[in-house]
């Protein structure tokens, strides 16, 4: 069993409560920061840890923080992105539900480092009960003097507000999130400017994922070097993987970066192997938007090396034969899965969630969905397969925000690796998997 | 501040820092100017959406010689000193643009024969220049009901390309905005809040900024094809706007009044609703002369001159 950073305390009865959290060492890191550290010193530790953003893109957190515009005469804001809506991803929900104070402590330390007096949690609207858990934890923190003015006599003041979204996946994109927080329609902004320069109310803003911020207390308590010592190369620390699909033990697992994918799927400590002793067919390793890989390529790279759970190993081979770690939403499919139907389902999601601002995504996602529906229901033509791939290619890279790419990658990768299955649908004029 | 040098399709131009690639290209002018369906220089926040203006930056700047990793929207990307941009000389750009046009057309009704905008439609011009003749789209097209936005403006959502220009007009020109985007993705539509009337002196400008026939002037509806009308520059004393307009005439009848548009289809000065909808009598206006529509359009084929009074000479000379 590897080291636990984010989930170490989750088995403790009542850990959602402030006093229990404190009894188990909670808020010690924040106290250490208030008593003995300066904002640049905190930033330095986070840089040393080489922690990378867990929201999907894997951007180095310390570097992101250091880009925050300084001396602008405007306040700086910290936003915690808790909109988690990507199919297959449910790790942030788990973390907030089980240990809300860990996130709050991470936000307090991060806000201190960024010299932000106000921080927001933008939480997915459907997670109403988690919102309540967070509100309760925030209330406790205010009552204990851990939030508010002049926290514990340190001179540092911080307010944290929790804001529920209205149920749009696109509001997880950081600039759409900011628009939504400002009370506007959740459309992604055109970048640049980036939030670090002009974010919430045109002020310098850092947006970080829940899991990213929750790793910060441990980094402060144990040092950035200790965090960087875990994992492999530029993938340090631990990662929450939300595993689902045709495995024996779906759930959220904390893994040390560098764990072999094969072990993750088959070990009883994690996914416990494929259900009913079935054959592994394909895996979407990092949430629905990353390229799908067939069994052979998810277990081993094209060069024959064992595939590891790291940013680098999963993307080994580029999009030809690799994928991405993304958000850690690990979707496993066995040999009974219709890959076309799965793709249709994903595409339907992106079509539904496109904000509609830019033409390639607005029009292309709907087009792909319709063609996929035809193929799946036995009305497809051979030319449709290349058409699909081409439409995806024309969306990719030509849009305002990465949702367009997220819609295109599954289509292109599924056709790349499972073309035969599309042809079978066309030839048999039906879905070969339907009974 | 020193000017920035930027090269677009091998033509160099010097522009102020803070200029977009598109505006630098417009400074050069001619064929190298990327088409723009959503950007509108007079509307803050416009641009970035339609993606027809995509270009390739092969060198970011003099100090950073790397290319930009993706095509960029020229309307919302600022030039840097020493930047090298490719538009019409880049196969990649032309190919991407062709597909943006394809995306814009798959749900468009292609009802030009019955559309009032035909002949002065940016989408018509764009597809003529950059599109392909056939369509690969075999699915059902998206449809909406027609909506009257008050008794002067009609919304034909089927034709809309969601450029957001009318939203910015409503936001920036009228004092109480009741006009916005409802819903999301390809279900998104232009809508007004509850009573579906934009009640404002400048609301008619949404018609002029619309690049397609989604917002049209109900007082002109089906009166004539634009190429059968004759546009004249004219002005009048107006307390609300500058009163500079174009009258679209048939004989002595004013069929329609619009603002004056430049070579890129942008209005020179927004006009008020009184000038647009209520002044349809020649006595209301001082005619200046025929309007030369530079935009590539069938209207330009309809060359004509302002009729001057002939010399008052009798038909037969006295012997
Ligand atoms: C369509 C879309 C949806 C996204 N949804 C989320 C989300 O739910 N949660 C999240 O943390 N990041 C999401 N992101 C990524 C954010 O834009 C941003 O990169 C991230 O919150 C940064 O945090 P990090 O640096 O800690 O990873 C999304 C991005 C896109 C394009
Ligand atoms: S890519 Fe899609 S979701 Fe993103 S801005 Fe464009 S239309 Fe909206
Ligand atoms: S004009 Fe630039 S994206 Fe529309």
């Amino acid at each position: 069993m590897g080291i636990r950073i984010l989930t170490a305390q989750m088995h403790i009865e009542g850990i959602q409560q402030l006093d229990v959290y404190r009894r188990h060492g909670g808020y010690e890191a924040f106290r250490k920061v208030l008593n003995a550290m300066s904002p640049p010193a905190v930033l330095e530790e986070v840089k040393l840890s080489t922690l990378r953003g867990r929201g999907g893109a894997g951007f180095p957190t310390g570097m992101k923080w250091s880009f925050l515009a300084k001396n602008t005469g405007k306040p700086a804001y910290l936003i915690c992105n808790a909109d988690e809506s990507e199919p297959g991803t449910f790790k942030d929900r788990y973390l907030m539900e089980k240990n809300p104070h860990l996130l709050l402590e991470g936000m307090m330390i991060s806000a201190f480092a960024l010299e932000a007096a106000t921080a927001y949690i933008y939480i997915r609207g459907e997670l109403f009960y988690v919102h309540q858990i967070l509100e309760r934890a925030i209330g406790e923190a205010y009552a204990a003097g851990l939030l508010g003015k002049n926290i514990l006599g340190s001179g540092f003041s911080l307010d944290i507000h929790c804001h529920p979204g209205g149920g749009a996946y696109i509001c997880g994109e950081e600039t759409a999130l900011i628009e939504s927080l400002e009370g506007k329609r959740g459309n992604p902004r055109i970048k640049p400017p980036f939030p670090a320069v002009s974010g919430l109310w045109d002020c310098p803003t850092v947006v970080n994922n829940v899991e990213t911020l929750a790793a910060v207390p441990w980094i402060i308590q144990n040092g950035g070097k200790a965090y960087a010592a875990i994992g492999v190369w530029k993938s340090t620390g631990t990662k929450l993987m939300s595993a689902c699909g045709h495995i024996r033990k779906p759930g959220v697992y904390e893994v040390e970066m560098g764990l072999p994918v094969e072990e993750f799927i088959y070990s009883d400590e994690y996914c416990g192997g494929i259900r009913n002793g079935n054959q592994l067919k394909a895996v979407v390793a990092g949430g629905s938007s990353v390229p799908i890989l067939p069994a052979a390529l998810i277990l081993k790279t094209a060069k024959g090396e064992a595939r590891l759970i790291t940013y680098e190993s999963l993307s080994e081979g580029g999009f030809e034969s690799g994928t991405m770690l993304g958000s850690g939403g690990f979707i496993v499919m066995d040999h009974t899965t219709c890959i076309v139907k799965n793709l249709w389902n994903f595409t339907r999601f992106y079509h539904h969630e496109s904000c509609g601002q830019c033409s390639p995504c607005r029009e292309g996602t709907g087009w792909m969905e319709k063609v996929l529906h035809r193929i799946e229901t036995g009305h497809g033509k051979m030319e449709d397969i290349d058409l699909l791939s081409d439409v995806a290619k024309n969306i990719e890279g030509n849009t305002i925000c990465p949702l367009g790419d997220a819609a295109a990658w599954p289509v292109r990768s599924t056709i790349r690796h499972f073309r035969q299955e599309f042809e079978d649908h066309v030839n048999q004029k039906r879905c070969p998997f339907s009974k | 501040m020193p000017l920035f040098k930027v090269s677009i399709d091998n033509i160099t131009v010097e522009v102020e820092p803070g200029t977009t690639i598109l505006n630098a290209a417009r400074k050069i002018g001619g064929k190298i100017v990327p088409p723009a369906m959503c950007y509108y220089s007079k509307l803050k926040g416009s641009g970035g959406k339609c993606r027809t203006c995509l270009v390739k930056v092969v060198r970011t700047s003099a100090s950073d010689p790397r290319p930009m990793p993706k095509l960029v929207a020229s309307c919302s990307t600022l030039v840097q000193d020493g930047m090298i941009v490719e538009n019409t000389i880049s196969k990649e750009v032309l190919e991407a643009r062709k597909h943006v046009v394809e995306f814009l057309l798959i749900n468009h009704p292609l009802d030009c024969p019955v559309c009032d905008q035909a002949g002065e439609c940016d989408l018509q011009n764009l597809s003529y220049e950059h599109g392909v003749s056939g369509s690969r789209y075999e699915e059902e097209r998206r449809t909406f009901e027609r909506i009257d936005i008050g008794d002067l403006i009609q919304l034909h959502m089927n034709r809309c390309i969601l450029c957001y220009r009318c939203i910015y007009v409503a936001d920036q020109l009228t004092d109480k905005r009741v006009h916005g985007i409802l819903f999301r993705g390809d279900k998104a539509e232009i809508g007004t809040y509850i009573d579906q009337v934009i009640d404002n002196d400048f609301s008619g400008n949404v018609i002029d900024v619309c690049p397609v026939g989604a917002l049209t002037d109900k007082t002109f509806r089906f009166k004539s094809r634009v190429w059968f009308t004759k546009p004249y520059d004219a002005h009048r004393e107006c307390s609300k706007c500058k009163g500079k307009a174009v009258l679209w005439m048939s004989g002595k009848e004013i069929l329609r009044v619009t603002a004056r548009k430049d070579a890129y289809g942008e209005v020179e000065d927004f006009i008020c609703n009184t000038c647009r909808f209520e002044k349809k009598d020649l006595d209301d206006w001082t005619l200046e002369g025929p309007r030369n529509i530079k935009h590539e359009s069938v209207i330009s084929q309809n060359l004509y001159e302002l009729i001057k009074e002939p010399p008052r000479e009798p038909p037969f000379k006295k012997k």
Side-chain angles (χ1 to χ4, degrees):
Chain A
M1 189 151 117
I3 188 165
R4 299 271 187 273
I5 290 176
L6 303 163
T7 57
Q9 302 167 319
M10 285 188 185
H11 62 283
I12 300 167
E13 185 74 32
I15 194 73
Q16 292 98 331
Q17 287 152 32
L18 182 77
D19 53 341
V20 180
Y21 180 71
R22 267 188 155 162
R23 239 181 286 136
H24 288 87
Y27 289 112
E28 282 310 313
F30 184 42
R31 199 181 283 276
K32 174 175 168 186
V33 164
L34 290 180
N35 290 340
M37 291 177 83
S38 65
V42 176
L43 172 61
E44 198 46 42
E45 284 308 322
V46 172
K47 275 190 177 162
L48 279 177
S49 74
T50 59
L51 170 66
R52 291 168 68 175
R54 305 295 195 227
F59 194 83
T61 306
M63 198 192 291
K64 182 184 264 191
W65 291 7
S66 63
F67 287 158
L68 189 76
K70 289 269 147 41
N71 305 320
T72 57
K74 292 178 183 173
Y77 294 108
L78 169 68
I79 296 174
C80 168
N81 189 343
D83 193 52
E84 193 174 58
S85 321
E86 174 129 320
T89 310
F90 46 94
K91 58 174 183 88
D92 296 340
R93 178 188 73 192
Y94 179 76
L95 202 157
M96 293 185 287
E97 178 187 340
K98 299 286 181 198
N99 200 350
H101 284 289
L102 181 64
L103 171 62
L104 293 185
E105 185 173 6
M107 288 182 70
M108 291 171 191
I109 298 168
S110 306
F112 178 88
L114 298 165
E115 301 183 46
T118 314
Y120 296 87
I121 303 172
Y122 186 95
I123 185 166
R124 175 176 176 179
E126 288 89 337
L127 303 183
F128 187 65
Y129 71 105
V130 184
H131 179 210
Q132 287 178 316
I133 292 171
L134 286 172
E135 287 288 11
R136 198 169 155 266
I138 291 171
E140 285 181 319
Y142 271 105
L146 290 164
L147 284 175
K149 292 261 167 300
N150 190 16
I151 296 166
L152 306 178
S154 64
F156 174 63
S157 301
L158 175 68
D159 286 310
I160 295 183
H161 304 283
C162 191
H163 186 91
Y169 167 60
I170 192 58
C171 289
E173 195 281 335
E174 55 189 12
T175 58
L177 186 160
I178 289 171
E179 287 280 297
S180 173
L181 254 189
E182 289 183 5
K184 300 178 187 149
R185 183 187 163 83
N187 277 2
R189 292 179 180 172
I190 292 152
K191 288 176 262 189
F194 290 93
V197 174
S198 179
L200 189 60
W201 294 299
D202 294 334
C203 298
T205 304
V206 163
V207 182
N208 272 132
N209 174 255
V210 172
E211 187 188 343
T212 314
L213 293 167
V216 172
W218 194 96
I219 291 170
I220 295 304
Q221 274 300 50
N222 300 275
K225 278 215 180 94
Y227 192 87
I230 307 163
V232 192
W233 202 45
K234 282 190 184 167
S235 298
T236 62
T238 63
K239 177 84 193 81
L240 290 182
M241 301 296 288
S242 58
C244 65
H246 302 151
I247 43 178
R248 285 186 37 241
K249 292 171 59 199
V252 178
Y253 297 100
E254 181 169 11
V255 304
E256 268 183 46
M257 289 281 195
L259 182 79
V261 172
E262 186 158 10
E263 186 179 341
F264 183 66
I265 297 176
Y266 290 103
S267 153
D268 274 336
E269 208 183 311
Y270 304 107
C271 303
I274 311 302
R275 64 168 187 186
N276 308 330
N278 283 356
Q279 289 277 300
L280 175 66
K281 180 171 180 175
V283 170
V284 175
S288 59
S289 58
V290 309
I292 192 172
L293 287 182
L297 283 174
I298 188 66
L299 299 176
K300 286 200 166 50
T301 65
K303 287 190 205 146
E305 290 159 1
R307 191 79 82 175
L308 311 178
I309 298 185
T310 63
Y311 294 100
E312 296 78 17
S313 176
L314 281 167
S315 56
E316 172 72 37
F319 279 8
E320 273 311 305
S321 64
T323 178
M324 285 159 75
L325 176 54
S327 59
F330 199 84
I331 308 170
V332 181
M333 299 171 213
D334 71 13
H335 72 272
T336 65
T337 315
C338 172
I339 231 74
V340 176
K341 188 171 184 186
N342 175 72
L343 179 62
W344 170 50
N345 193 34
F346 280 3
T347 306
R348 192 168 52 162
F349 172 80
Y350 291 109
H351 175 208
H352 187 256
E353 298 298 334
S354 162
C355 84
Q357 258 192 119
C358 55
S359 21
C361 171
R362 177 183 66 241
E363 304 297 342
T365 51
W367 191 358
M368 293 192 303
E369 190 208 321
K370 286 176 186 148
V371 175
L372 276 163
H373 182 243
R374 271 202 287 115
I375 298 176
E376 170 59 17
T377 53
H379 302 288
K381 301 189 295 281
M382 270 314 165
E383 310 90 84
D384 285 340
I385 306 170
D386 285 334
L387 172 69
L388 257 182
S389 197
D390 197 49
V391 172
K393 186 173 122 262
N394 296 334
I395 299 173
E396 193 179 332
N398 290 335
T399 56
I400 293 178
C401 90
L403 189 141
D405 300 335
W409 293 339
V411 173
R412 297 194 73 187
S413 60
T414 307
I415 296 176
R416 185 179 305 125
H417 299 301
F418 295 96
R419 191 177 188 101
Q420 187 59 47
E421 243 180 87
F422 288 84
E423 294 181 357
D424 291 347
H425 278 74
V426 173
N427 284 329
Q428 298 178 27
K429 298 197 185 338
R430 65 189 282 271
C431 170
F433 292 86
S434 69
K435 277 162 209 113
Chain B
M1 199 127 154
L3 296 178
F4 282 177
K5 254 203 190 92
V6 45
S7 146
I8 304 171
D9 285 358
N10 300 323
I11 304 171
T12 304
V13 64
E14 294 197 345
V15 293
E16 299 272 336
T19 307
T20 59
I21 297 174
L22 179 69
N23 281 328
R26 285 184 177 182
K27 195 169 174 197
I28 298 172
K31 281 266 173 265
I32 62 99
V33 183
M37 297 292 290
C38 69
Y39 171 77
Y40 211 78
S41 65
K42 283 143 194 108
L43 297 172
K44 208 172 140 255
S46 68
K49 298 182 174 62
C50 70
R51 318 304 284 176
T52 56
C53 70
L54 290 173
V55 294
K56 191 171 176 61
V57 175
V58 293
R59 185 171 83 162
T60 301
S61 70
S63 54
D64 179 2
R66 289 172 306 174
M68 289 192 178
K70 301 184 207 172
L71 301 183
V72 299
S74 60
C75 68
S76 37
T77 306
L78 300 183
V79 297
Q80 298 180 40
D81 195 26
M83 185 183 262
I84 299 178
V85 180
E86 291 184 356
N87 177 24
T88 62
I89 61 172
S90 159
K91 268 214 182 87
E92 191 186 343
V93 169
L94 296 181
E95 185 67 16
R97 188 167 295 147
K98 196 168 84 192
H99 292 296
V100 170
V101 177
E102 179 178 41
F103 284 133
L104 287 174
L105 289 178
I106 60 169
N107 273 304
H108 192 79
L110 303 176
D111 59 345
C112 314
V114 296
C115 175
D116 270 340
Q117 192 90 357
E120 53 177 6
C121 174
D122 291 349
L123 186 59
Q124 215 176 24
N125 294 338
L126 182 78
S127 19
Y128 186 70
E129 251 184 88
H130 299 282
V132 292
S133 51
S135 171
R136 303 190 287 173
Y137 191 69
E138 298 174 6
E139 324 303 322
E140 207 174 301
R141 284 170 203 259
R142 168 176 75 223
T143 51
F144 299 85
E145 294 292 319
R146 270 199 306 262
I147 294 176
D148 285 331
I149 302 181
D151 45 4
L152 299 171
I153 304 168
Q154 187 163 73
L155 169 63
H156 224 303
M157 191 56 217
N158 288 353
R159 298 174 184 152
C160 172
I161 58 158
L162 286 163
C163 69
Y164 280 59
R165 285 176 180 175
C166 61
I167 308 297
Y168 294 114
V169 165
D171 212 14
Q172 292 166 31
L173 254 65
T174 70
D175 43 1
K176 204 166 117 230
R177 181 164 84 102
V178 290
H179 176 101
I181 304 266
L182 303 173
F183 312 115
R184 174 170 87 194
D186 59 8
K187 309 261 182 331
E189 55 179 286
I190 308 293
T192 52
Y193 184 62
I194 302 180
D195 60 355
Q196 302 187 336
V197 179
I198 320 178
D199 186 12
N200 187 286
D201 275 345
F202 283 84
S203 63
N205 290 294
V206 297
I207 299 168
D208 281 348
V209 299
C210 182
V212 295
L215 289 164
T216 49
D217 182 340
K218 281 185 72 184
T219 66
F220 176 62
R221 215 168 128 65
F222 299 147
K223 282 227 174 113
S224 172
R225 310 274 19 179
V226 288
W227 56 89
F228 294 140
T229 65
K230 301 197 163 169
Y232 288 88
D233 277 343
H235 63 265
R236 62 179 285 272
E237 278 295 316
C238 179
S239 57
K240 295 182 193 143
C241 69
K242 285 192 184 159
K244 288 185 180 168
V246 177
L247 311 182
W248 300 77
M249 316 248 297
S250 170
K252 293 215 157 169
E253 197 189 349
I254 302 178
L255 296 181
R256 177 175 74 151
V257 181
T258 68
R260 298 182 186 176
K261 292 188 185 178
D262 66 15
Y264 300 109
E266 292 193 18
V267 309
E268 289 166 6
D269 290 297
F270 290 110
I271 61 169
C272 71
N273 284 4
T274 312
C275 289
R276 183 187 304 274
F277 296 121
E278 289 168 27
K279 302 295 169 190
K280 295 281 176 83
D281 205 293
L282 261 185
D283 294 342
D284 295 327
W285 298 92
T286 309
L287 285 194
E288 294 169 20
R291 175 85 184 163
N292 184 14
I293 309 288
K294 288 203 199 71
H295 215 60
E296 68 286 352
S297 146
V298 284
I299 307 167
S300 334
Q301 305 306 312
N302 197 14
L303 294 175
Y304 55 94
E305 283 169 25
L306 183 65
I307 299 166
K308 291 194 195 101
E309 195 187 56
R312 295 187 182 189
E313 280 171 12
F316 301 104
K317 281 208 173 110
K318 271 184 200 143
K319 286 195 184 117

